[in-house]
């Protein structure tokens, strides 16, 4: 069973396990789809007319969900009690009708989540919601053929006053269809204004307000066209950490999304996990910049049956782009290894294993070498644990005090020979294998495994600062949900 884009846009926002009322259910597609995908367990399908309600019953029977849906022949929410539902969807009706339905059910302002998709009268409905104690949390656009639909997420609350243009087109936020939507709103406002001016006695106050609407809509369009887009962010990261410097096995680059998508919020994370994508969606971020590639190896399908598939689907469905800078960011000046060396207090930092120079003559390579004041391995390791925020550290004592230190963010234990060749007594890296610990002890090298996440996550704050400085008009933040996966007993 497939939903139309506008119903799918609603379905993807319905919270897991919620109790849903679908008002004006027509064929019952929305509740049946949600039940089939395990997002809800029960639903109410309501319609004013017997015909649409019977079609909904037939859809539910066809997909084996009739027992999980309560069918109500009623006007709006009149036969639905407040304690029966948490979420209400009202789609495909005029704004005046939606307002009347909510007016008759004041409990809809009290802790309920509403998804509204008006077909007409949107300026009037926005104004009504604002005056009746509702707040529009978000407006999303869905395209079906040549038509654009606006889906609003609404709760009870206080909404900041909307400008005349915002009453017509909502709060201005970037998105793939936003410019088209503004153009349509502008076209409608022009038609209303032209009709008003053609009247024998035009209402000058209304005409002046419509002129203000048009000025505001034009300003919104100008703001969008001057916004940063995904392609510009990728080009900047290409300057900082050229993607052609990545290792042959890697898959760094612009991996998901549309190059021209406008960006007002960026979330930075070490990995793009399901939790990180959810965090980005809740923040309204249009782009995730990560270290580890979200697509790695041979992805042969994109379905909800695999973790990678679910992540890629969620990114696409929420129109979130992904750029991943991996081994290229490890190797360049100011990247992962320089940040790691500085975090551990190394001075006189140089290359551990230089691979070459980039097109601008800048050296690049994996790992760094530097000095610390001479200290015991225990003291150095405890400081590293604290400085990196590691939950635990594994180490082998090579029998020497710590003074000349090599670092390799992530799994770099294969560079032990390079560290020893440069006279290092200590090597900090991660993902060390048993035989590598044995080898390090035999060679007299202190080997410290500080964890993959702690030795690389340090670069996220640097990425944030790079992006915030280059794109001051963009909000950039580091993920708060993605943390060290390991625990130690």
């Amino acid at each position: 069973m497939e939903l139309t884009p506008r119903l799918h846009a609603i379905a993807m926002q319905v919270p897991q396990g919620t109790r849903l009322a679908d008002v004006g259910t027509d064929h019952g597609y929305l509740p049946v789809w949600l039940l089939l995908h395990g997002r809800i367990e029960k639903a109410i399908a309501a319609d004013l007319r017997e015909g649409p309600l019977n079609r909904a019953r037939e859809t539910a029977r066809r997909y084996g969900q009739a027992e999980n849906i309560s069918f109500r022949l009623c006007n709006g929410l009149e036969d639905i009690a407040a304690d029966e539902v948490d979420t209400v969807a009202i789609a495909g009706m005029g704004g005046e009708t939606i307002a009347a339905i909510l007016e008759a059910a004041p409990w809809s302002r009290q802790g309920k989540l509403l998804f509204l998709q008006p077909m007409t009268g949107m300026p009037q409905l926005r104004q009504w919601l604002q005056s009746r104690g509702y707040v529009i949390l978000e407006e999303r656009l869905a395209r079906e053929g040549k038509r654009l639909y606006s889906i609003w997420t609404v709760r009870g609350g206080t909404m900041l006053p909307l400008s005349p243009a915002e009453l017509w087109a909502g709060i201005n936020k970037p998105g793939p269809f936003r410019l088209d939507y503004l153009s349509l709103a502008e076209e409608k406002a022009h038609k209303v204004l032209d009709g008003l001016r053609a009247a024998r006695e035009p209402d000058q106050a209304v005409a002046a307000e419509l002129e203000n609407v048009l000025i505001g809509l034009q300003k919104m369009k100008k703001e969008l066209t001057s916004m940063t887009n995904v392609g510009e962010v990728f080009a900047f990261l290409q300057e900082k950490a050229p993607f052609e410097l990545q290792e042959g096995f890697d898959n760094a680059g612009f991996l998901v999304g549309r190059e021209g998508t406008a960006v007002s919020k960026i979330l930075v994370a070490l990995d793009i996990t399901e939790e990180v994508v959810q965090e980005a969606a809740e923040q309204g971020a249009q782009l995730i910049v990560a270290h580890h590639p979200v697509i790695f190896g041979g992805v042969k399908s994109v379905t909800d049956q695999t973790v990678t598939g679910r992540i890629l689907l969620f990114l696409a469905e929420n129109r979130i782009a992904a750029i991943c800078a991996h081994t290229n960011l490890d190797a360049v000046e100011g990247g992962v290894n320089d940040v790691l060396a500085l975090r551990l207090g190394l001075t006189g930092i140089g290359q551990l294993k230089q691979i070459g120079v980039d097109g601008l003559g800048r050296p690049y390579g994996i790992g760094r070498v530097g000095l610390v004041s001479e200290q015991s391995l225990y003291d150095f390791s405890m400081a590293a644990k604290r400085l990196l925020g590691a939950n635990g550290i594994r180490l082998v004592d090579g029998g020497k005090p710590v003074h000349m230190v090599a670092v390799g963010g992530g799994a770099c234990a294969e560079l032990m020979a390079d560290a020893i060749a440069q006279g290092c007594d200590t090597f900090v890296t991660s993902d060390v294998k048993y035989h590598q610990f044995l080898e390090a002890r035999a060679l007299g090298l202190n080997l410290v495994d500080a964890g993959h996440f702690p030795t690389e996550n340090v670069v996220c704050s640097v990425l944030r600062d790079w992006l915030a400085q280059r794109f001051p008009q963009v909000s950039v933040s580091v993920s708060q949900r993605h943390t060290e996966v390991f625990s130690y007993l």
Side-chain angles (χ1 to χ4, degrees):
M1 179 182 185
E2 292 189 10
L3 294 178
T4 61
R6 77 185 167 96
L7 288 181
H8 192 264
I10 296 173
M12 294 310 298
Q13 298 178 76
V14 172
Q16 186 76 32
T18 194
R19 298 173 299 168
L20 172 76
D22 182 28
V23 178
T25 192
D26 198 6
H27 288 79
Y29 293 138
L30 179 62
V32 170
W33 189 93
L34 290 167
L35 287 163
L36 289 172
H37 286 78
R39 297 180 72 96
I40 62 174
E41 295 180 3
K42 297 286 183 182
I44 297 172
D47 207 288
L48 181 62
R49 297 168 297 164
E50 189 70 54
L53 204 60
N54 285 336
R55 289 195 292 270
R57 287 192 181 96
E58 177 56 34
T59 301
R61 281 195 294 268
R62 189 185 319 139
Y63 290 97
Q65 299 298 329
E67 293 183 357
N68 298 319
I69 300 177
S70 173
F71 298 92
R72 310 279 175 91
L73 183 65
C74 62
N75 183 10
L77 294 164
E78 67 179 11
D79 283 351
I80 300 173
D83 60 2
E84 288 187 285
V85 297
D86 313 299
T87 304
V88 176
I90 309 176
M93 300 183 192
E96 185 178 351
T97 301
I98 293 174
I101 289 172
L102 297 178
E103 184 75 58
W107 54 261
S108 61
R109 287 193 298 269
Q110 300 165 7
K112 308 302 180 184
L113 186 62
L114 312 177
F115 295 108
L116 311 180
Q117 186 267 297
M119 301 293 287
T120 59
M122 284 170 271
Q124 294 78 14
L125 180 57
R126 289 189 184 96
Q127 193 164 46
W128 184 90
L129 290 169
Q130 180 176 265
S131 66
R132 294 301 198 281
Y134 295 89
V135 57
I136 301 174
L137 302 175
E138 184 180 12
E139 296 191 23
R140 296 193 181 197
L141 296 171
R143 186 188 292 279
E144 290 182 16
K146 295 182 179 180
R147 188 157 191 171
L148 283 175
Y149 296 92
S150 183
I151 297 104
W152 307 354
T153 306
V154 176
R155 277 193 187 277
T158 303
M159 183 160 46
L160 293 175
L162 297 174
S163 69
E166 288 170 341
L167 288 172
W168 275 72
I171 302 295
N172 204 30
K173 291 184 179 180
F177 307 127
R178 181 62 181 172
L179 273 175
D180 290 344
Y181 187 71
L182 289 175
S183 295
L184 288 171
E186 192 175 18
E187 183 180 329
K188 289 178 182 178
H190 268 302
K191 286 182 178 178
V192 175
L193 182 58
D194 290 344
L196 188 65
R197 286 171 174 166
R200 288 186 177 182
E201 297 182 5
D203 188 322
Q204 296 301 329
V206 175
E209 184 177 342
L210 284 169
E211 288 171 355
N212 285 333
V213 168
L214 288 166
I215 291 171
L217 292 173
Q218 289 164 5
K219 183 180 178 182
M220 285 181 174
K221 291 173 74 173
K222 187 175 180 180
E223 287 174 355
L224 282 185
T225 54
S226 64
M227 280 185 175
T228 301
N229 62 39
V230 172
E232 290 171 330
V233 176
F234 180 68
F236 168 69
L237 291 173
Q238 168 68 18
E239 293 173 10
K240 299 292 287 186
F243 287 88
E244 60 268 20
L245 303 185
Q246 66 182 287
E247 300 283 339
F249 67 84
D250 203 1
N251 190 40
F254 173 30
L255 303 184
V256 179
R258 296 182 184 276
E259 188 177 38
T261 297
V263 175
S264 63
K265 288 188 179 181
I266 299 174
L267 183 66
V268 177
L270 188 69
D271 302 276
I272 301 180
T273 64
E274 290 181 87
E275 293 80 10
V276 168
V277 179
Q278 182 67 46
E279 184 180 6
E282 290 174 6
Q283 291 184 8
Q286 300 84 19
L287 171 64
I288 299 174
V289 173
H291 181 47
H292 292 135
V294 66
I295 302 173
F296 206 87
V299 176
K300 296 184 178 180
S301 64
V302 179
T303 72
D304 61 359
Q305 302 304 301
T306 65
V307 173
T308 299
R310 289 195 295 273
I311 291 170
L312 294 175
L313 282 172
F314 201 102
L315 286 168
E317 289 163 352
N318 287 273
R319 303 185 182 94
I320 301 172
I323 298 174
C324 302
H326 190 208
T327 52
N328 55 316
L329 188 60
D330 289 330
V332 297
E333 289 184 6
V336 172
N337 287 292
D338 278 315
V339 178
L340 177 59
L342 289 169
R343 179 66 66 88
L344 293 176
L346 273 62
T347 60
I349 298 169
Q351 295 276 347
L352 172 59
K353 184 177 182 179
Q354 184 170 331
I355 298 172
V357 295
D358 66 15
L360 297 177
R362 299 172 296 188
Y364 69 92
I366 302 300
R368 298 292 183 267
V369 175
L371 299 173
V372 296
S373 59
E374 188 168 307
Q375 57 195 279
S376 71
L377 178 60
Y378 175 83
D379 288 342
F380 175 79
S381 299
M382 289 301 291
K385 178 181 176 182
R386 174 177 53 82
L387 291 167
L388 299 178
N391 290 339
I393 282 182
R394 300 187 303 153
L395 67 153
V396 67
D397 191 336
K400 299 173 183 176
V402 178
H403 179 53
M404 190 167 185
V405 180
V407 299
C412 294
E414 71 278 3
L415 299 180
M416 280 194 297
D418 298 277
I420 293 171
Q422 292 217 34
C424 294
D425 49 67
T426 305
F427 187 20
V428 180
T429 185
S430 74
D431 301 347
V432 178
K433 296 180 180 179
Y434 176 70
H435 76 274
Q436 292 170 325
F437 275 126
L438 290 175
E439 183 181 356
R441 186 174 64 179
L443 293 171
L445 177 70
N446 301 320
L447 185 56
V448 179
D449 185 333
H452 203 116
F453 181 91
T455 59
E456 291 190 328
N457 194 58
V458 289
V459 81
C460 288
S461 59
V462 172
L463 278 171
R464 176 199 59 206
D465 293 345
W466 285 357
L467 292 164
Q469 185 174 3
R470 174 60 180 82
F471 304 106
Q473 72 276 31
V474 176
S475 172
V476 188
S477 60
V478 176
S479 172
Q480 298 301 302
R481 295 188 189 174
H482 187 34
T483 57
E484 170 66 280
V485 68
F486 289 112
S487 297
Y488 295 85
L489 299 178

